Every structure is written in structure tokens, then in C-alpha cells.
Amino acid sequence: MSQDTKPAPFNVGDHIRYVAAKRLALPVGQGNESELVLVPGMEGVILISTGALSDEGAAAPNPWHCRVQFQNGFQLDVTPENRADFEVTHGVGSPNV
């Protein structure tokens, strides 16, 4: 079985927007003083971008992942499974940064 080892679609410092139609919430008690909510249209910045995680020939369920930080403190991992929920608003090195 072939493994998708393309690099991560986002770089550290990229500004991205959550474009999924669903609202996500992290409840109180998971290190949060109050519920943290992510709603469609909310923007954040990529903190971590791992690139390809799998070693040569090794199987990896998630060959890359990124972590995004939103202004309200919500952090979320972006993986191949939820990548379609995000779009770049402007990237590192872009004239808009």
C-alpha cells in the first residue's frame, strides 16, 4: 500500500481560516477556564508544521500534521483527514504578511 508522504500544506506562520460548516468546542475542564469555541470564518496562525512524518518505507496513519492557534486560545491539529476544513488567508513570505 502506497503512503501519502506529501509535505504539510501549511507552513509555520501561515494565517489560515476555518471554513468548515460545523462549530467545534473544547469544554471547561480540559485545561480551559471556559469553553473554547471554533466557528466558521475564524482565523488562526500555524504554530507547528511537521512535514512528512513517515520514515522511508514506514507506514504512518498521518504522514504530516500542523497545529493552528486561534485568537481565543483554541488550538487544533490539522491532519490529512480535516485539511479541507481550512484555507490559507496569507502565507509566510507572501506580500500580504
Side-chain angles (χ1 to χ4, degrees), residues 18-60:
Y18 181 65
V19 295
K22 59 189 177 257
R23 172 186 179 274
L24 297 176
L26 293 175
V28 177
Q30 293 185 357
N32 306 316
E33 292 180 16
S34 58
E35 180 183 67
L36 294 176
V37 178
L38 179 62
V39 296
M42 196 175 254
E43 293 187 12
V45 177
I46 296 293
L47 297 178
I48 298 167
S49 181
T50 62
L53 288 179
S54 61
D55 293 329
E56 187 73 27

Side-chain angles (χ1 to χ4, degrees), residues 48 64-68 70 74-80 82-83 86:
I48 298 167
W64 59 264
H65 92 277
C66 303
R67 168 135 323 159
V68 61
F70 294 91
F74 196 109
Q75 287 190 11
L76 186 69
D77 285 339
V78 181
T79 65
N82 69 358
R83 186 314 181 204
F86 301 90

